């Protein structure tokens, strides 16, 4: 371990965050060290800071699942990445790999090489929810794994598929990936402000989830109850709605944790569960409910070896996957930027955009 240190934004106790100095490790076998330019703040960061979730009571806990930056050192056995490459990556290596720090140690398989001229700001919006959407559709929901560009329509090309909460950043990637993979009957629920964008990404039908007749509109668009549903919100209320439109032999993938109430971010007094509690589960037993934990995606060896190393770089090179809109926090100290970003995420003041923090001081 080197004696060098760098700055990191961390949760140091429940409800307390601060910028601290941490050791700068060297990359081990299969790892790269990234000089971080930008990171993103997501709902799960607030669960760590506000409730101590996933900390096991051990602090400090670093934050930020996504990063973009430049590879500064390469460990042994890494193919495909070299010093100087621009990358975006998804944190899987504990605190060492978190994005809200100046240097991160990443498993090379969780990094995607970016085109030379790609915006690092935009790239920081991609990894977590691109992986979430791909893993949910083509592993959890078991839709046919696509090879892009798709030349033959998939078996369910004409089957209606519901993306509930498609205004969320995860939903935007789900709609794009379904369209790119050849699915022609994607039904998306979102606030009207997202409708034209979601149509441009490939949704065949867009429906306002706050309309009184939302369920009728979904059924009208689908023509019958749905076989495949992705719930990008995973709240009690969204699952309740889905219950009314899914077929008795359908499958529903929900992004965990399940949140009590109606929002995609659980407030301080709301409960969260890693499965839908039996006494709140309104689905018949015949419906398959799959809880999505994206951090497990590497258990699928094909995804581990291909999704970030090969598939995403190609989609970016060809310009056929759109990053999310950026809401940038680049003013004030690192502490100010991270704190302000956490506030807007915890207060649910995020609408179809990714909260991106400038990490690098230069
Ligand atoms: N377990 C996992 O692996 C995993 C991975 C990724 C995300 N997640 C979870 O999935 C959820 C979404 O994450 P995200 O990053 O995609 O969030 P996000 O981009 O911050 O989502 C914000 C959007 O959610 C929409 N929304 C909120 N409540 C809604 C409701 N009741 N019905 C429909 N849409 C609603 C709003 O859309 P409108 O603007 O249309 O109102 C809002 O713009 C979070 O709870 C997150 O923790 C879990």
């Amino acid at each position: 371990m080197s004696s060098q240190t760098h700055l990191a934004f961390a949760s140091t106790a429940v409800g307390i965050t601060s910028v601290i100095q941490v050791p700068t490790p060297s990359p081990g076998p299969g790892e790269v060290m990234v000089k971080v330019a930008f990171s993103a703040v997501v709902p799960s960061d607030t669960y760590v800071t506000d409730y101590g979730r996933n900390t096991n009571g051990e602090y400090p806990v670093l934050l930020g699942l996504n990063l973009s930056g430049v590879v500064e050192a390469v460990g042994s056995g890494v193919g495909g990445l070299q010093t100087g490459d621009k990358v975006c990556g998804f944190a899987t290596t504990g605190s060492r790999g978190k994005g809200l720090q100046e240097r991160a140690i990443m498993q090379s398989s969780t990094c995607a090489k970016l085109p030379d001229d790609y915006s690092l700001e935009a790239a920081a919006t991609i990894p977590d929810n691109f992986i979430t959407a791909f893993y949910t559709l083509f592993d959890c929901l078991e839709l046919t794994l696509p090879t892009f560009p798709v030349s033959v329509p998939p078996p369910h090309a004409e089957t209606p598929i519901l993306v509930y909460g498609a205004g969320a950043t995860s939903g935007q990637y789900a709609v794009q990936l379904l369209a790119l993979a050849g699915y022609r009957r994607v039904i998306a629920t979102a606030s009207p402000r997202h409708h034209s964008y979601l149509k441009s990404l490939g949704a065949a039908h867009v429906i306002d989830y706050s309309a009184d007749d939302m369920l009728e509109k979904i059924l009208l668009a689908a023509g019958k109850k749905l076989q495949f549903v992705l719930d990008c919100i995973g709240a009690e209320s969204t699952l309740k709605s889905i219950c009314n439109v899914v077929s008795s032999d359908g499958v529903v993938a929900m992004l965990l944790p399940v949140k009590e109430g109606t929002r995609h971010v659980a407030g301080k007094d709301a409960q969260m569960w890693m499965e839908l509690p039996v006494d709140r589960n309104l689905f018949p037993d015949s419906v398959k409910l799959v809880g999505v934990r994206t951090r497990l995606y590497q258990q699928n060896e094909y995804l581990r070896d291909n999704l970030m190393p090969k598939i995403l770089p190609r989609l970016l090179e060809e310009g056929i996957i759109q990053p999310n809109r950026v809401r940038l926090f680049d003013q004030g100290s690192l502490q100010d930027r991270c704190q302000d970003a956490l506030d807007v995420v915890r207060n649910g003041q995020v609408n179809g955009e990714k909260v991106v923090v400038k990490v690098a001081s230069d």
Side-chain angles (χ1 to χ4, degrees), residues 5-12 17-24 36 60-63 95-96 98-104 334-335 338 359:
T5 61
H6 63 265
L7 295 180
F9 182 71
S11 174
T12 51
T17 50
S18 75
V19 171
I20 58 174
Q21 203 83 32
V22 296
T24 310
V36 181
V61 178
L62 273 52
L63 301 162
S95 273
R96 300 183 327 141
K98 290 292 163 61
L100 289 171
Q101 60 180 328
E102 293 174 318
R103 302 282 184 287
L334 181 59
Q335 171 82 28
C338 294
V359 175

PDB file of all heavy atoms in Angstrom, residues 5-12 17-24 36 60-63 95-96 98-104 334-335 338 359:
ATOM      1  N   THR A   5      -2.308   9.703  -0.206  1.00  0.00           N
ATOM      2  CA  THR A   5      -3.724   9.800   0.182  1.00  0.00           C
ATOM      3  C   THR A   5      -4.466  10.697  -0.813  1.00  0.00           C
ATOM      4  O   THR A   5      -3.833  11.401  -1.605  1.00  0.00           O
ATOM      5  CB  THR A   5      -3.882  10.402   1.598  1.00  0.00           C
ATOM      6  OG1 THR A   5      -3.341  11.721   1.592  1.00  0.00           O
ATOM      7  CG2 THR A   5      -3.214   9.547   2.650  1.00  0.00           C
ATOM      8  N   HIS A   6      -5.794  10.639  -0.759  1.00  0.00           N
ATOM      9  CA  HIS A   6      -6.606  11.515  -1.607  1.00  0.00           C
ATOM     10  C   HIS A   6      -7.899  11.848  -0.859  1.00  0.00           C
ATOM     11  O   HIS A   6      -8.206  11.241   0.178  1.00  0.00           O
ATOM     12  CB  HIS A   6      -6.885  10.858  -2.960  1.00  0.00           C
ATOM     13  CG  HIS A   6      -7.680   9.597  -2.867  1.00  0.00           C
ATOM     14  ND1 HIS A   6      -7.106   8.339  -2.823  1.00  0.00           N
ATOM     15  CD2 HIS A   6      -9.019   9.370  -2.807  1.00  0.00           C
ATOM     16  CE1 HIS A   6      -8.043   7.421  -2.742  1.00  0.00           C
ATOM     17  NE2 HIS A   6      -9.220   8.016  -2.734  1.00  0.00           N
ATOM     18  N   LEU A   7      -8.666  12.781  -1.434  1.00  0.00           N
ATOM     19  CA  LEU A   7      -9.910  13.215  -0.780  1.00  0.00           C
ATOM     20  C   LEU A   7     -11.089  12.330  -1.195  1.00  0.00           C
ATOM     21  O   LEU A   7     -11.184  11.911  -2.352  1.00  0.00           O
ATOM     22  CB  LEU A   7     -10.239  14.662  -1.165  1.00  0.00           C
ATOM     23  CG  LEU A   7      -9.264  15.743  -0.684  1.00  0.00           C
ATOM     24  CD1 LEU A   7      -9.731  17.122  -1.162  1.00  0.00           C
ATOM     25  CD2 LEU A   7      -9.135  15.726   0.842  1.00  0.00           C
ATOM     26  N   ALA A   8     -11.973  12.085  -0.233  1.00  0.00           N
ATOM     27  CA  ALA A   8     -13.174  11.286  -0.514  1.00  0.00           C
ATOM     28  C   ALA A   8     -14.331  11.852   0.298  1.00  0.00           C
ATOM     29  O   ALA A   8     -14.139  12.358   1.412  1.00  0.00           O
ATOM     30  CB  ALA A   8     -12.930   9.835  -0.117  1.00  0.00           C
ATOM     31  N   PHE A   9     -15.535  11.739  -0.261  1.00  0.00           N
ATOM     32  CA  PHE A   9     -16.745  12.150   0.460  1.00  0.00           C
ATOM     33  C   PHE A   9     -17.338  10.893   1.082  1.00  0.00           C
ATOM     34  O   PHE A   9     -17.574   9.906   0.379  1.00  0.00           O
ATOM     35  CB  PHE A   9     -17.739  12.790  -0.501  1.00  0.00           C
ATOM     36  CG  PHE A   9     -18.991  13.276   0.161  1.00  0.00           C
ATOM     37  CD1 PHE A   9     -18.987  14.388   0.988  1.00  0.00           C
ATOM     38  CD2 PHE A   9     -20.206  12.624  -0.051  1.00  0.00           C
ATOM     39  CE1 PHE A   9     -20.151  14.843   1.598  1.00  0.00           C
ATOM     40  CE2 PHE A   9     -21.370  13.072   0.546  1.00  0.00           C
ATOM     41  CZ  PHE A   9     -21.334  14.193   1.377  1.00  0.00           C
ATOM     42  N   ALA A  10     -17.561  10.938   2.405  1.00  0.00           N
ATOM     43  CA  ALA A  10     -17.952   9.709   3.103  1.00  0.00           C
ATOM     44  C   ALA A  10     -19.038   9.971   4.126  1.00  0.00           C
ATOM     45  O   ALA A  10     -19.189  11.073   4.644  1.00  0.00           O
ATOM     46  CB  ALA A  10     -16.731   9.131   3.809  1.00  0.00           C
ATOM     47  N   SER A  11     -19.792   8.897   4.404  1.00  0.00           N
ATOM     48  CA  SER A  11     -20.678   8.906   5.554  1.00  0.00           C
ATOM     49  C   SER A  11     -19.811   8.445   6.725  1.00  0.00           C
ATOM     50  O   SER A  11     -19.194   7.372   6.668  1.00  0.00           O
ATOM     51  CB  SER A  11     -21.830   7.931   5.299  1.00  0.00           C
ATOM     52  OG  SER A  11     -22.626   7.824   6.443  1.00  0.00           O
ATOM     53  N   THR A  12     -19.746   9.253   7.785  1.00  0.00           N
ATOM     54  CA  THR A  12     -18.863   8.904   8.909  1.00  0.00           C
ATOM     55  C   THR A  12     -19.652   8.430  10.135  1.00  0.00           C
ATOM     56  O   THR A  12     -19.060   7.952  11.093  1.00  0.00           O
ATOM     57  CB  THR A  12     -17.973  10.113   9.284  1.00  0.00           C
ATOM     58  OG1 THR A  12     -18.818  11.252   9.462  1.00  0.00           O
ATOM     59  CG2 THR A  12     -16.962  10.402   8.187  1.00  0.00           C
ATOM     60  N   THR A  17     -21.988  13.351   7.165  1.00  0.00           N
ATOM     61  CA  THR A  17     -21.100  13.135   6.014  1.00  0.00           C
ATOM     62  C   THR A  17     -19.995  14.176   6.062  1.00  0.00           C
ATOM     63  O   THR A  17     -20.199  15.291   6.524  1.00  0.00           O
ATOM     64  CB  THR A  17     -21.863  13.320   4.685  1.00  0.00           C
ATOM     65  OG1 THR A  17     -22.573  14.554   4.729  1.00  0.00           O
ATOM     66  CG2 THR A  17     -22.823  12.188   4.427  1.00  0.00           C
ATOM     67  N   SER A  18     -18.809  13.783   5.576  1.00  0.00           N
ATOM     68  CA  SER A  18     -17.762  14.801   5.455  1.00  0.00           C
ATOM     69  C   SER A  18     -16.706  14.354   4.465  1.00  0.00           C
ATOM     70  O   SER A  18     -16.627  13.172   4.098  1.00  0.00           O
ATOM     71  CB  SER A  18     -17.167  15.142   6.817  1.00  0.00           C
ATOM     72  OG  SER A  18     -16.347  14.138   7.243  1.00  0.00           O
ATOM     73  N   VAL A  19     -15.921  15.324   4.023  1.00  0.00           N
ATOM     74  CA  VAL A  19     -14.792  15.009   3.137  1.00  0.00           C
ATOM     75  C   VAL A  19     -13.627  14.598   4.019  1.00  0.00           C
ATOM     76  O   VAL A  19     -13.270  15.302   4.967  1.00  0.00           O
ATOM     77  CB  VAL A  19     -14.434  16.222   2.252  1.00  0.00           C
ATOM     78  CG1 VAL A  19     -13.135  15.971   1.504  1.00  0.00           C
ATOM     79  CG2 VAL A  19     -15.561  16.486   1.262  1.00  0.00           C
ATOM     80  N   ILE A  20     -13.071  13.419   3.723  1.00  0.00           N
ATOM     81  CA  ILE A  20     -11.968  12.897   4.540  1.00  0.00           C
ATOM     82  C   ILE A  20     -10.804  12.525   3.626  1.00  0.00           C
ATOM     83  O   ILE A  20     -10.960  12.432   2.407  1.00  0.00           O
ATOM     84  CB  ILE A  20     -12.405  11.644   5.348  1.00  0.00           C
ATOM     85  CG1 ILE A  20     -12.918  10.536   4.396  1.00  0.00           C
ATOM     86  CG2 ILE A  20     -13.464  12.011   6.376  1.00  0.00           C
ATOM     87  CD1 ILE A  20     -13.220   9.223   5.098  1.00  0.00           C
ATOM     88  N   GLN A  21      -9.656  12.327   4.253  1.00  0.00           N
ATOM     89  CA  GLN A  21      -8.458  11.898   3.520  1.00  0.00           C
ATOM     90  C   GLN A  21      -8.389  10.374   3.641  1.00  0.00           C
ATOM     91  O   GLN A  21      -8.526   9.841   4.744  1.00  0.00           O
ATOM     92  CB  GLN A  21      -7.258  12.537   4.230  1.00  0.00           C
ATOM     93  CG  GLN A  21      -6.026  12.705   3.396  1.00  0.00           C
ATOM     94  CD  GLN A  21      -6.059  13.962   2.538  1.00  0.00           C
ATOM     95  OE1 GLN A  21      -6.626  14.953   2.935  1.00  0.00           O
ATOM     96  NE2 GLN A  21      -5.454  13.898   1.368  1.00  0.00           N
ATOM     97  N   VAL A  22      -8.231   9.669   2.536  1.00  0.00           N
ATOM     98  CA  VAL A  22      -8.144   8.196   2.597  1.00  0.00           C
ATOM     99  C   VAL A  22      -6.885   7.731   1.861  1.00  0.00           C
ATOM    100  O   VAL A  22      -6.380   8.440   0.978  1.00  0.00           O
ATOM    101  CB  VAL A  22      -9.394   7.515   1.974  1.00  0.00           C
ATOM    102  CG1 VAL A  22     -10.651   7.837   2.763  1.00  0.00           C
ATOM    103  CG2 VAL A  22      -9.563   7.904   0.510  1.00  0.00           C
ATOM    104  N   PRO A  23      -6.361   6.541   2.221  1.00  0.00           N
ATOM    105  CA  PRO A  23      -5.175   6.026   1.528  1.00  0.00           C
ATOM    106  C   PRO A  23      -5.477   5.770   0.057  1.00  0.00           C
ATOM    107  O   PRO A  23      -6.598   5.397  -0.289  1.00  0.00           O
ATOM    108  CB  PRO A  23      -4.873   4.699   2.233  1.00  0.00           C
ATOM    109  CG  PRO A  23      -5.694   4.698   3.471  1.00  0.00           C
ATOM    110  CD  PRO A  23      -6.844   5.631   3.273  1.00  0.00           C
ATOM    111  N   THR A  24      -4.484   5.971  -0.800  1.00  0.00           N
ATOM    112  CA  THR A  24      -4.645   5.684  -2.234  1.00  0.00           C
ATOM    113  C   THR A  24      -3.999   4.331  -2.518  1.00  0.00           C
ATOM    114  O   THR A  24      -2.776   4.225  -2.556  1.00  0.00           O
ATOM    115  CB  THR A  24      -3.941   6.759  -3.090  1.00  0.00           C
ATOM    116  OG1 THR A  24      -4.343   8.046  -2.636  1.00  0.00           O
ATOM    117  CG2 THR A  24      -4.269   6.588  -4.565  1.00  0.00           C
ATOM    118  N   VAL A  36     -10.788  10.207 -10.904  1.00  0.00           N
ATOM    119  CA  VAL A  36     -12.218  10.463 -11.098  1.00  0.00           C
ATOM    120  C   VAL A  36     -12.462  11.920 -11.508  1.00  0.00           C
ATOM    121  O   VAL A  36     -11.932  12.847 -10.885  1.00  0.00           O
ATOM    122  CB  VAL A  36     -13.006  10.154  -9.805  1.00  0.00           C
ATOM    123  CG1 VAL A  36     -14.502  10.394 -10.020  1.00  0.00           C
ATOM    124  CG2 VAL A  36     -12.749   8.720  -9.349  1.00  0.00           C
ATOM    125  N   PRO A  60     -15.607   4.881   8.103  1.00  0.00           N
ATOM    126  CA  PRO A  60     -16.401   5.625   7.126  1.00  0.00           C
ATOM    127  C   PRO A  60     -16.842   4.740   5.961  1.00  0.00           C
ATOM    128  O   PRO A  60     -16.196   3.738   5.656  1.00  0.00           O
ATOM    129  CB  PRO A  60     -15.431   6.703   6.626  1.00  0.00           C
ATOM    130  CG  PRO A  60     -14.079   6.063   6.765  1.00  0.00           C
ATOM    131  CD  PRO A  60     -14.160   5.172   7.974  1.00  0.00           C
ATOM    132  N   VAL A  61     -17.971   5.150   5.329  1.00  0.00           N
ATOM    133  CA  VAL A  61     -18.454   4.482   4.120  1.00  0.00           C
ATOM    134  C   VAL A  61     -18.425   5.504   2.996  1.00  0.00           C
ATOM    135  O   VAL A  61     -19.037   6.572   3.107  1.00  0.00           O
ATOM    136  CB  VAL A  61     -19.891   3.973   4.308  1.00  0.00           C
ATOM    137  CG1 VAL A  61     -20.393   3.325   3.034  1.00  0.00           C
ATOM    138  CG2 VAL A  61     -19.974   3.000   5.467  1.00  0.00           C
ATOM    139  N   LEU A  62     -17.699   5.171   1.937  1.00  0.00           N
ATOM    140  CA  LEU A  62     -17.632   6.099   0.805  1.00  0.00           C
ATOM    141  C   LEU A  62     -18.875   5.949  -0.068  1.00  0.00           C
ATOM    142  O   LEU A  62     -19.568   4.919  -0.005  1.00  0.00           O
ATOM    143  CB  LEU A  62     -16.346   5.853  -0.004  1.00  0.00           C
ATOM    144  CG  LEU A  62     -15.109   6.624   0.504  1.00  0.00           C
ATOM    145  CD1 LEU A  62     -14.857   6.426   1.969  1.00  0.00           C
ATOM    146  CD2 LEU A  62     -13.880   6.272  -0.317  1.00  0.00           C
ATOM    147  N   LEU A  63     -19.135   6.953  -0.895  1.00  0.00           N
ATOM    148  CA  LEU A  63     -20.399   7.010  -1.644  1.00  0.00           C
ATOM    149  C   LEU A  63     -20.141   7.185  -3.145  1.00  0.00           C
ATOM    150  O   LEU A  63     -19.041   7.541  -3.558  1.00  0.00           O
ATOM    151  CB  LEU A  63     -21.236   8.177  -1.125  1.00  0.00           C
ATOM    152  CG  LEU A  63     -21.567   8.095   0.373  1.00  0.00           C
ATOM    153  CD1 LEU A  63     -22.000   9.452   0.900  1.00  0.00           C
ATOM    154  CD2 LEU A  63     -22.644   7.059   0.623  1.00  0.00           C
ATOM    155  N   SER A  95     -15.574   0.416  -0.705  1.00  0.00           N
ATOM    156  CA  SER A  95     -15.232   1.839  -0.658  1.00  0.00           C
ATOM    157  C   SER A  95     -14.151   2.209  -1.662  1.00  0.00           C
ATOM    158  O   SER A  95     -14.142   3.312  -2.204  1.00  0.00           O
ATOM    159  CB  SER A  95     -14.778   2.227   0.753  1.00  0.00           C
ATOM    160  OG  SER A  95     -15.904   2.570   1.536  1.00  0.00           O
ATOM    161  N   ARG A  96     -13.232   1.284  -1.945  1.00  0.00           N
ATOM    162  CA  ARG A  96     -12.121   1.602  -2.864  1.00  0.00           C
ATOM    163  C   ARG A  96     -12.621   2.014  -4.243  1.00  0.00           C
ATOM    164  O   ARG A  96     -11.941   2.712  -4.981  1.00  0.00           O
ATOM    165  CB  ARG A  96     -11.210   0.376  -3.050  1.00  0.00           C
ATOM    166  CG  ARG A  96     -10.593  -0.105  -1.780  1.00  0.00           C
ATOM    167  CD  ARG A  96      -9.641  -1.262  -1.987  1.00  0.00           C
ATOM    168  NE  ARG A  96      -9.983  -2.172  -3.062  1.00  0.00           N
ATOM    169  CZ  ARG A  96      -9.110  -2.731  -3.883  1.00  0.00           C
ATOM    170  NH1 ARG A  96      -7.835  -2.459  -3.767  1.00  0.00           N
ATOM    171  NH2 ARG A  96      -9.480  -3.585  -4.802  1.00  0.00           N
ATOM    172  N   LYS A  98     -15.677   3.495  -4.962  1.00  0.00           N
ATOM    173  CA  LYS A  98     -16.755   4.482  -5.013  1.00  0.00           C
ATOM    174  C   LYS A  98     -16.338   5.716  -5.803  1.00  0.00           C
ATOM    175  O   LYS A  98     -15.144   6.055  -5.880  1.00  0.00           O
ATOM    176  CB  LYS A  98     -17.190   4.856  -3.594  1.00  0.00           C
ATOM    177  CG  LYS A  98     -17.914   3.706  -2.891  1.00  0.00           C
ATOM    178  CD  LYS A  98     -19.249   3.407  -3.527  1.00  0.00           C
ATOM    179  CE  LYS A  98     -19.840   2.070  -3.179  1.00  0.00           C
ATOM    180  NZ  LYS A  98     -20.116   1.861  -1.785  1.00  0.00           N
ATOM    181  N   GLY A  99     -17.341   6.405  -6.361  1.00  0.00           N
ATOM    182  CA  GLY A  99     -17.049   7.483  -7.307  1.00  0.00           C
ATOM    183  C   GLY A  99     -16.754   8.832  -6.673  1.00  0.00           C
ATOM    184  O   GLY A  99     -16.080   9.663  -7.274  1.00  0.00           O
ATOM    185  N   LEU A 100     -17.275   9.052  -5.443  1.00  0.00           N
ATOM    186  CA  LEU A 100     -17.102  10.383  -4.845  1.00  0.00           C
ATOM    187  C   LEU A 100     -15.756  10.453  -4.114  1.00  0.00           C
ATOM    188  O   LEU A 100     -15.682  10.700  -2.910  1.00  0.00           O
ATOM    189  CB  LEU A 100     -18.263  10.705  -3.917  1.00  0.00           C
ATOM    190  CG  LEU A 100     -19.583  10.982  -4.663  1.00  0.00           C
ATOM    191  CD1 LEU A 100     -20.755  11.078  -3.679  1.00  0.00           C
ATOM    192  CD2 LEU A 100     -19.503  12.262  -5.492  1.00  0.00           C
ATOM    193  N   GLN A 101     -14.699  10.190  -4.839  1.00  0.00           N
ATOM    194  CA  GLN A 101     -13.328  10.307  -4.324  1.00  0.00           C
ATOM    195  C   GLN A 101     -12.405  10.576  -5.514  1.00  0.00           C
ATOM    196  O   GLN A 101     -12.748  10.287  -6.659  1.00  0.00           O
ATOM    197  CB  GLN A 101     -12.903   9.055  -3.572  1.00  0.00           C
ATOM    198  CG  GLN A 101     -12.912   7.785  -4.400  1.00  0.00           C
ATOM    199  CD  GLN A 101     -12.485   6.558  -3.586  1.00  0.00           C
ATOM    200  OE1 GLN A 101     -11.668   6.651  -2.681  1.00  0.00           O
ATOM    201  NE2 GLN A 101     -13.058   5.404  -3.939  1.00  0.00           N
ATOM    202  N   GLU A 102     -11.232  11.110  -5.215  1.00  0.00           N
ATOM    203  CA  GLU A 102     -10.364  11.550  -6.315  1.00  0.00           C
ATOM    204  C   GLU A 102      -9.732  10.394  -7.093  1.00  0.00           C
ATOM    205  O   GLU A 102      -9.431  10.535  -8.286  1.00  0.00           O
ATOM    206  CB  GLU A 102      -9.268  12.467  -5.757  1.00  0.00           C
ATOM    207  CG  GLU A 102      -9.826  13.778  -5.228  1.00  0.00           C
ATOM    208  CD  GLU A 102      -8.777  14.624  -4.551  1.00  0.00           C
ATOM    209  OE1 GLU A 102      -7.942  14.068  -3.791  1.00  0.00           O
ATOM    210  OE2 GLU A 102      -8.775  15.849  -4.777  1.00  0.00           O
ATOM    211  N   ARG A 103      -9.494   9.277  -6.429  1.00  0.00           N
ATOM    212  CA  ARG A 103      -8.933   8.098  -7.100  1.00  0.00           C
ATOM    213  C   ARG A 103      -9.768   6.887  -6.707  1.00  0.00           C
ATOM    214  O   ARG A 103     -10.034   6.697  -5.521  1.00  0.00           O
ATOM    215  CB  ARG A 103      -7.488   7.823  -6.660  1.00  0.00           C
ATOM    216  CG  ARG A 103      -6.490   8.953  -6.897  1.00  0.00           C
ATOM    217  CD  ARG A 103      -6.074   9.002  -8.369  1.00  0.00           C
ATOM    218  NE  ARG A 103      -5.043   9.992  -8.659  1.00  0.00           N
ATOM    219  CZ  ARG A 103      -5.221  11.314  -8.684  1.00  0.00           C
ATOM    220  NH1 ARG A 103      -6.409  11.832  -8.401  1.00  0.00           N
ATOM    221  NH2 ARG A 103      -4.215  12.120  -8.982  1.00  0.00           N
ATOM    222  N   ALA A 104     -10.164   6.062  -7.669  1.00  0.00           N
ATOM    223  CA  ALA A 104     -10.968   4.871  -7.355  1.00  0.00           C
ATOM    224  C   ALA A 104     -10.308   3.644  -7.959  1.00  0.00           C
ATOM    225  O   ALA A 104      -9.745   3.706  -9.059  1.00  0.00           O
ATOM    226  CB  ALA A 104     -12.382   5.034  -7.897  1.00  0.00           C
ATOM    227  N   LEU A 334     -15.839  20.426  -2.484  1.00  0.00           N
ATOM    228  CA  LEU A 334     -16.326  19.060  -2.729  1.00  0.00           C
ATOM    229  C   LEU A 334     -17.441  18.728  -1.725  1.00  0.00           C
ATOM    230  O   LEU A 334     -18.457  18.129  -2.089  1.00  0.00           O
ATOM    231  CB  LEU A 334     -15.161  18.063  -2.611  1.00  0.00           C
ATOM    232  CG  LEU A 334     -15.497  16.591  -2.858  1.00  0.00           C
ATOM    233  CD1 LEU A 334     -16.088  16.377  -4.255  1.00  0.00           C
ATOM    234  CD2 LEU A 334     -14.260  15.710  -2.671  1.00  0.00           C
ATOM    235  N   GLN A 335     -17.244  19.143  -0.482  1.00  0.00           N
ATOM    236  CA  GLN A 335     -18.275  18.913   0.558  1.00  0.00           C
ATOM    237  C   GLN A 335     -19.600  19.578   0.154  1.00  0.00           C
ATOM    238  O   GLN A 335     -20.661  18.963   0.208  1.00  0.00           O
ATOM    239  CB  GLN A 335     -17.774  19.491   1.894  1.00  0.00           C
ATOM    240  CG  GLN A 335     -18.803  19.533   3.006  1.00  0.00           C
ATOM    241  CD  GLN A 335     -18.951  18.193   3.727  1.00  0.00           C
ATOM    242  OE1 GLN A 335     -18.004  17.413   3.779  1.00  0.00           O
ATOM    243  NE2 GLN A 335     -20.131  17.921   4.249  1.00  0.00           N
ATOM    244  N   CYS A 338     -21.252  17.736  -2.920  1.00  0.00           N
ATOM    245  CA  CYS A 338     -21.835  16.429  -2.576  1.00  0.00           C
ATOM    246  C   CYS A 338     -23.074  16.604  -1.695  1.00  0.00           C
ATOM    247  O   CYS A 338     -24.088  15.922  -1.890  1.00  0.00           O
ATOM    248  CB  CYS A 338     -20.813  15.570  -1.844  1.00  0.00           C
ATOM    249  SG  CYS A 338     -19.403  15.111  -2.857  1.00  0.00           S
ATOM    250  N   VAL A 359     -15.989  15.897  -9.315  1.00  0.00           N
ATOM    251  CA  VAL A 359     -15.116  15.424  -8.234  1.00  0.00           C
ATOM    252  C   VAL A 359     -13.726  16.029  -8.363  1.00  0.00           C
ATOM    253  O   VAL A 359     -13.146  16.497  -7.380  1.00  0.00           O
ATOM    254  CB  VAL A 359     -15.027  13.869  -8.254  1.00  0.00           C
ATOM    255  CG1 VAL A 359     -14.029  13.379  -7.234  1.00  0.00           C
ATOM    256  CG2 VAL A 359     -16.407  13.269  -8.000  1.00  0.00           C
TER     257      VAL A 359
END
